[in-house]
Amino acid sequence: YDSSIRTYSFGFNDKLKDELPYARAIADKFKTDHHELIEDINDLGDILIQMQTVYDEPFADSSNVPTYLLSKLASKYIKVVLSGDGGDELLAGYSYWYSNIDILEKYLNNSNNYLFKFFRKISSLNKIDNTSEAKKLFNHYGSVYKLYLSQRECFNSNDLQQFGFNNTDDYVTEQIPRSLDEVLRLDIKNYLPGDILVKTDRASMANGLEIRSPFLDIDLASFCISLPQSLKINNGHDKLLLRRAYESDWPKSIQTRKKMGFGAPVNKWLQRDDLISLKNEYLLNKNKKIHSYLDYNKTSQYFQKSNYQEWTLLIFSLWLEHNSTNTIQVQ
């Protein structure tokens, strides 16, 4: 192995979000020159303000902060890095999203199968099915499309209508997904370029670093898109083909682990003293620009929740105050 290969990883002070042990396992196996950046952000409030100039748009994906800090660290040593962006969307890697969609799709397909209905009526399968995860998903959402929307929204339609937004049900106008395969294609078309690639590109370019994504090589990406979903996810096991292809090269801890999102622990961050001060200034202050767009009384119910809704509103307010744009069209 070539020890001149450098690897970089970010770790949160939250065991549920910390991927450093897995990164170390890979670094040890391949004898890389491994660098770690552990969450110890004393000036988080200042960094959030800085992000408003780096992104130049309201961008509430909390992983932009560690991505920016990790890019800053890597840029001290190298100018080009490789990332795994695209792998999750191409191979159904978000098991906490895609697995439920897969389960619900199969249930819906079986429910339309007359032979399945017949055997369910005459067997104990009916009792089992009534308590299954699939049945719960069906009773709650009823369709793949509604489940998909629930996973992607921070504020639901009622929330947005209270804020004054219309047509809030038109999130996916070009296609109503009825299968996991259609969901993956939508995420490749919308979520990947609209969030993931924007996040990494601007965080890295702000530090003079270039990020390249091998999974998005056109030949590889086209091949992955063409694969049936049964080779991507099944019974909660994600990235099936990728895991099988590299199972002999990965440590066991990597072979069996599930996807862990890179999102920051915003519930804890929002309770930090520096962010409480930021919230007092940018959310609780009725004179801030955000309240000329969103009614204070209607948005204040989300203040002090220490969740992603409050985080999103805070980022929006920060962006409004630190950019010269004075008009936003609300449709």
Side-chain angles (χ1 to χ4, degrees), residues 159 162-164 283-288 290-303 305 313:
D159 298 330
Q162 283 189 356
F163 292 162
L283 287 183
L284 299 183
N285 185 343
K286 294 183 179 181
N287 296 319
K288 290 301 181 181
I290 186 175
H291 301 304
S292 64
Y293 297 102
L294 304 177
D295 182 81
Y296 181 89
N297 292 326
K298 293 178 180 178
T299 55
S300 61
Q301 62 181 303
Y302 300 100
F303 303 163
K305 279 193 172 184
L313 292 172

mmCIF file of all heavy atoms in Angstrom, residues 159 162-164 283-288 290-303 305 313:
data_model
loop_
_atom_site.group_PDB
_atom_site.id
_atom_site.type_symbol
_atom_site.label_atom_id
_atom_site.label_comp_id
_atom_site.label_asym_id
_atom_site.label_seq_id
_atom_site.Cartn_x
_atom_site.Cartn_y
_atom_site.Cartn_z
ATOM 1 N N ASP A 159 -47.693 24.027 7.261
ATOM 2 C CA ASP A 159 -46.733 24.998 7.782
ATOM 3 C C ASP A 159 -46.434 26.071 6.737
ATOM 4 O O ASP A 159 -46.452 27.274 7.026
ATOM 5 C CB ASP A 159 -45.414 24.315 8.165
ATOM 6 C CG ASP A 159 -45.583 23.287 9.265
ATOM 7 O OD1 ASP A 159 -46.483 23.472 10.103
ATOM 8 O OD2 ASP A 159 -44.817 22.309 9.286
ATOM 9 N N GLN A 162 -49.191 28.525 6.128
ATOM 10 C CA GLN A 162 -49.235 29.526 7.193
ATOM 11 C C GLN A 162 -48.210 30.638 6.964
ATOM 12 O O GLN A 162 -48.448 31.803 7.286
ATOM 13 C CB GLN A 162 -48.968 28.873 8.551
ATOM 14 C CG GLN A 162 -50.139 28.114 9.130
ATOM 15 C CD GLN A 162 -49.894 27.683 10.566
ATOM 16 O OE1 GLN A 162 -48.814 27.894 11.116
ATOM 17 N NE2 GLN A 162 -50.894 27.102 11.182
ATOM 18 N N PHE A 163 -47.072 30.243 6.369
ATOM 19 C CA PHE A 163 -46.036 31.226 6.079
ATOM 20 C C PHE A 163 -46.397 32.107 4.886
ATOM 21 O O PHE A 163 -45.730 33.110 4.628
ATOM 22 C CB PHE A 163 -44.703 30.526 5.775
ATOM 23 C CG PHE A 163 -44.089 29.827 6.954
ATOM 24 C CD1 PHE A 163 -43.108 28.870 6.771
ATOM 25 C CD2 PHE A 163 -44.483 30.114 8.251
ATOM 26 C CE1 PHE A 163 -42.531 28.223 7.844
ATOM 27 C CE2 PHE A 163 -43.926 29.465 9.341
ATOM 28 C CZ PHE A 163 -42.946 28.519 9.138
ATOM 29 N N GLY A 164 -47.424 31.714 4.129
ATOM 30 C CA GLY A 164 -47.834 32.502 2.983
ATOM 31 C C GLY A 164 -47.448 31.922 1.643
ATOM 32 O O GLY A 164 -47.632 32.563 0.603
ATOM 33 N N LEU A 283 -33.575 35.705 15.305
ATOM 34 C CA LEU A 283 -34.921 35.136 15.254
ATOM 35 C C LEU A 283 -35.895 35.864 16.175
ATOM 36 O O LEU A 283 -37.018 36.180 15.778
ATOM 37 C CB LEU A 283 -34.886 33.648 15.611
ATOM 38 C CG LEU A 283 -34.313 32.684 14.568
ATOM 39 C CD1 LEU A 283 -34.419 31.248 15.058
ATOM 40 C CD2 LEU A 283 -34.999 32.829 13.224
ATOM 41 N N LEU A 284 -35.472 36.137 17.383
ATOM 42 C CA LEU A 284 -36.380 36.745 18.352
ATOM 43 C C LEU A 284 -36.537 38.243 18.151
ATOM 44 O O LEU A 284 -37.481 38.848 18.654
ATOM 45 C CB LEU A 284 -35.899 36.458 19.773
ATOM 46 C CG LEU A 284 -35.829 34.969 20.162
ATOM 47 C CD1 LEU A 284 -35.404 34.802 21.607
ATOM 48 C CD2 LEU A 284 -37.162 34.285 19.920
ATOM 49 N N ASN A 285 -35.622 38.846 17.418
ATOM 50 C CA ASN A 285 -35.681 40.279 17.130
ATOM 51 C C ASN A 285 -36.694 40.531 16.011
ATOM 52 O O ASN A 285 -36.483 40.155 14.861
ATOM 53 C CB ASN A 285 -34.298 40.774 16.719
ATOM 54 C CG ASN A 285 -34.257 42.283 16.528
ATOM 55 O OD1 ASN A 285 -35.291 42.936 16.388
ATOM 56 N ND2 ASN A 285 -33.056 42.835 16.528
ATOM 57 N N LYS A 286 -37.787 41.187 16.332
ATOM 58 C CA LYS A 286 -38.862 41.396 15.365
ATOM 59 C C LYS A 286 -38.476 42.343 14.242
ATOM 60 O O LYS A 286 -39.185 42.435 13.234
ATOM 61 C CB LYS A 286 -40.108 41.920 16.070
ATOM 62 C CG LYS A 286 -40.739 40.933 17.033
ATOM 63 C CD LYS A 286 -42.026 41.495 17.638
ATOM 64 C CE LYS A 286 -42.676 40.485 18.590
ATOM 65 N NZ LYS A 286 -43.935 41.016 19.174
ATOM 66 N N ASN A 287 -37.372 43.047 14.395
ATOM 67 C CA ASN A 287 -36.953 44.008 13.378
ATOM 68 C C ASN A 287 -36.099 43.388 12.278
ATOM 69 O O ASN A 287 -35.701 44.085 11.340
ATOM 70 C CB ASN A 287 -36.177 45.160 14.031
ATOM 71 C CG ASN A 287 -37.043 45.967 14.980
ATOM 72 O OD1 ASN A 287 -38.209 46.242 14.681
ATOM 73 N ND2 ASN A 287 -36.484 46.351 16.132
ATOM 74 N N LYS A 288 -35.813 42.108 12.377
ATOM 75 C CA LYS A 288 -34.981 41.465 11.366
ATOM 76 C C LYS A 288 -35.790 41.235 10.076
ATOM 77 O O LYS A 288 -37.013 41.124 10.096
ATOM 78 C CB LYS A 288 -34.440 40.133 11.897
ATOM 79 C CG LYS A 288 -33.404 40.301 13.007
ATOM 80 C CD LYS A 288 -32.203 41.119 12.538
ATOM 81 C CE LYS A 288 -31.162 41.260 13.631
ATOM 82 N NZ LYS A 288 -29.996 42.067 13.195
ATOM 83 N N ILE A 290 -36.268 38.751 8.174
ATOM 84 C CA ILE A 290 -37.052 37.524 8.020
ATOM 85 C C ILE A 290 -38.521 37.752 8.346
ATOM 86 O O ILE A 290 -39.409 37.166 7.726
ATOM 87 C CB ILE A 290 -36.473 36.391 8.909
ATOM 88 C CG1 ILE A 290 -37.215 35.082 8.635
ATOM 89 C CG2 ILE A 290 -36.506 36.754 10.396
ATOM 90 C CD1 ILE A 290 -36.625 33.884 9.371
ATOM 91 N N HIS A 291 -38.775 38.671 9.282
ATOM 92 C CA HIS A 291 -40.148 38.879 9.725
ATOM 93 C C HIS A 291 -40.928 39.808 8.794
ATOM 94 O O HIS A 291 -42.131 40.018 9.008
ATOM 95 C CB HIS A 291 -40.152 39.396 11.157
ATOM 96 C CG HIS A 291 -39.473 38.461 12.112
ATOM 97 N ND1 HIS A 291 -39.853 37.147 12.241
ATOM 98 C CD2 HIS A 291 -38.412 38.640 12.944
ATOM 99 C CE1 HIS A 291 -39.062 36.550 13.121
ATOM 100 N NE2 HIS A 291 -38.179 37.435 13.560
ATOM 101 N N SER A 292 -40.271 40.324 7.764
ATOM 102 C CA SER A 292 -41.007 41.033 6.717
ATOM 103 C C SER A 292 -41.495 40.055 5.654
ATOM 104 O O SER A 292 -42.320 40.409 4.810
ATOM 105 C CB SER A 292 -40.122 42.111 6.078
ATOM 106 O OG SER A 292 -39.011 41.532 5.430
ATOM 107 N N TYR A 293 -40.982 38.826 5.696
ATOM 108 C CA TYR A 293 -41.404 37.778 4.770
ATOM 109 C C TYR A 293 -42.261 36.724 5.458
ATOM 110 O O TYR A 293 -43.199 36.195 4.868
ATOM 111 C CB TYR A 293 -40.182 37.097 4.135
ATOM 112 C CG TYR A 293 -39.341 38.023 3.298
ATOM 113 C CD1 TYR A 293 -38.151 38.545 3.783
ATOM 114 C CD2 TYR A 293 -39.740 38.376 2.010
ATOM 115 C CE1 TYR A 293 -37.364 39.393 3.015
ATOM 116 C CE2 TYR A 293 -38.963 39.229 1.234
ATOM 117 C CZ TYR A 293 -37.780 39.740 1.740
ATOM 118 O OH TYR A 293 -37.014 40.584 0.976
ATOM 119 N N LEU A 294 -41.916 36.415 6.690
ATOM 120 C CA LEU A 294 -42.641 35.396 7.446
ATOM 121 C C LEU A 294 -43.191 36.030 8.717
ATOM 122 O O LEU A 294 -42.439 36.637 9.486
ATOM 123 C CB LEU A 294 -41.712 34.224 7.800
ATOM 124 C CG LEU A 294 -40.994 33.535 6.637
ATOM 125 C CD1 LEU A 294 -40.064 32.448 7.164
ATOM 126 C CD2 LEU A 294 -41.984 32.956 5.636
ATOM 127 N N ASP A 295 -44.478 35.877 8.931
ATOM 128 C CA ASP A 295 -45.123 36.494 10.077
ATOM 129 C C ASP A 295 -44.500 36.010 11.382
ATOM 130 O O ASP A 295 -44.370 34.807 11.609
ATOM 131 C CB ASP A 295 -46.618 36.170 10.062
ATOM 132 C CG ASP A 295 -47.364 36.823 11.206
ATOM 133 O OD1 ASP A 295 -47.694 38.011 11.085
ATOM 134 O OD2 ASP A 295 -47.589 36.142 12.220
ATOM 135 N N TYR A 296 -44.132 36.950 12.239
ATOM 136 C CA TYR A 296 -43.432 36.615 13.491
ATOM 137 C C TYR A 296 -44.265 35.683 14.358
ATOM 138 O O TYR A 296 -43.749 34.695 14.905
ATOM 139 C CB TYR A 296 -43.097 37.889 14.260
ATOM 140 C CG TYR A 296 -42.353 37.629 15.557
ATOM 141 C CD1 TYR A 296 -40.964 37.558 15.574
ATOM 142 C CD2 TYR A 296 -43.031 37.454 16.763
ATOM 143 C CE1 TYR A 296 -40.267 37.318 16.749
ATOM 144 C CE2 TYR A 296 -42.349 37.204 17.944
ATOM 145 C CZ TYR A 296 -40.967 37.131 17.933
ATOM 146 O OH TYR A 296 -40.280 36.879 19.098
ATOM 147 N N ASN A 297 -45.550 35.970 14.485
ATOM 148 C CA ASN A 297 -46.393 35.169 15.372
ATOM 149 C C ASN A 297 -46.542 33.729 14.879
ATOM 150 O O ASN A 297 -46.704 32.813 15.676
ATOM 151 C CB ASN A 297 -47.777 35.823 15.501
ATOM 152 C CG ASN A 297 -47.712 37.147 16.246
ATOM 153 O OD1 ASN A 297 -46.909 37.321 17.162
ATOM 154 N ND2 ASN A 297 -48.548 38.096 15.833
ATOM 155 N N LYS A 298 -46.478 33.563 13.548
ATOM 156 C CA LYS A 298 -46.631 32.221 12.985
ATOM 157 C C LYS A 298 -45.325 31.436 13.005
ATOM 158 O O LYS A 298 -45.340 30.205 13.077
ATOM 159 C CB LYS A 298 -47.178 32.325 11.565
ATOM 160 C CG LYS A 298 -48.612 32.851 11.523
ATOM 161 C CD LYS A 298 -49.119 32.986 10.102
ATOM 162 C CE LYS A 298 -50.558 33.512 10.096
ATOM 163 N NZ LYS A 298 -51.080 33.716 8.724
ATOM 164 N N THR A 299 -44.212 32.148 12.918
ATOM 165 C CA THR A 299 -42.920 31.451 12.928
ATOM 166 C C THR A 299 -42.369 31.255 14.336
ATOM 167 O O THR A 299 -41.566 30.348 14.567
ATOM 168 C CB THR A 299 -41.876 32.214 12.095
ATOM 169 O OG1 THR A 299 -41.788 33.565 12.566
ATOM 170 C CG2 THR A 299 -42.249 32.215 10.630
ATOM 171 N N SER A 300 -42.811 32.071 15.274
ATOM 172 C CA SER A 300 -42.251 31.994 16.622
ATOM 173 C C SER A 300 -42.525 30.658 17.301
ATOM 174 O O SER A 300 -41.812 30.274 18.237
ATOM 175 C CB SER A 300 -42.795 33.140 17.490
ATOM 176 O OG SER A 300 -44.205 33.057 17.602
ATOM 177 N N GLN A 301 -43.543 29.934 16.823
ATOM 178 C CA GLN A 301 -43.838 28.619 17.414
ATOM 179 C C GLN A 301 -42.703 27.627 17.178
ATOM 180 O O GLN A 301 -42.611 26.617 17.867
ATOM 181 C CB GLN A 301 -45.142 28.068 16.830
ATOM 182 C CG GLN A 301 -45.102 27.823 15.330
ATOM 183 C CD GLN A 301 -46.408 27.292 14.789
ATOM 184 O OE1 GLN A 301 -46.897 26.257 15.248
ATOM 185 N NE2 GLN A 301 -46.976 27.984 13.809
ATOM 186 N N TYR A 302 -41.833 27.932 16.190
ATOM 187 C CA TYR A 302 -40.717 27.041 15.891
ATOM 188 C C TYR A 302 -39.440 27.447 16.622
ATOM 189 O O TYR A 302 -38.464 26.702 16.609
ATOM 190 C CB TYR A 302 -40.451 27.037 14.386
ATOM 191 C CG TYR A 302 -41.639 26.577 13.575
ATOM 192 C CD1 TYR A 302 -42.480 27.497 12.947
ATOM 193 C CD2 TYR A 302 -41.944 25.221 13.462
ATOM 194 C CE1 TYR A 302 -43.571 27.079 12.205
ATOM 195 C CE2 TYR A 302 -43.044 24.796 12.739
ATOM 196 C CZ TYR A 302 -43.855 25.735 12.117
ATOM 197 O OH TYR A 302 -44.948 25.318 11.399
ATOM 198 N N PHE A 303 -39.466 28.629 17.247
ATOM 199 C CA PHE A 303 -38.298 29.073 17.994
ATOM 200 C C PHE A 303 -38.187 28.256 19.283
ATOM 201 O O PHE A 303 -39.187 27.844 19.869
ATOM 202 C CB PHE A 303 -38.387 30.563 18.336
ATOM 203 C CG PHE A 303 -38.556 31.464 17.135
ATOM 204 C CD1 PHE A 303 -38.995 32.763 17.273
ATOM 205 C CD2 PHE A 303 -38.279 31.004 15.857
ATOM 206 C CE1 PHE A 303 -39.145 33.597 16.175
ATOM 207 C CE2 PHE A 303 -38.426 31.823 14.749
ATOM 208 C CZ PHE A 303 -38.867 33.124 14.901
ATOM 209 N N LYS A 305 -37.238 25.295 19.611
ATOM 210 C CA LYS A 305 -37.486 23.859 19.449
ATOM 211 C C LYS A 305 -36.191 23.058 19.375
ATOM 212 O O LYS A 305 -36.203 21.841 19.570
ATOM 213 C CB LYS A 305 -38.312 23.601 18.180
ATOM 214 C CG LYS A 305 -39.808 23.825 18.369
ATOM 215 C CD LYS A 305 -40.590 23.246 17.202
ATOM 216 C CE LYS A 305 -42.076 23.275 17.465
ATOM 217 N NZ LYS A 305 -42.857 22.630 16.383
ATOM 218 N N LEU A 313 -34.891 28.193 9.815
ATOM 219 C CA LEU A 313 -35.307 29.584 9.959
ATOM 220 C C LEU A 313 -34.125 30.475 10.352
ATOM 221 O O LEU A 313 -34.006 31.607 9.867
ATOM 222 C CB LEU A 313 -36.422 29.697 10.996
ATOM 223 C CG LEU A 313 -37.763 29.068 10.602
ATOM 224 C CD1 LEU A 313 -38.719 29.065 11.778
ATOM 225 C CD2 LEU A 313 -38.375 29.806 9.414
#
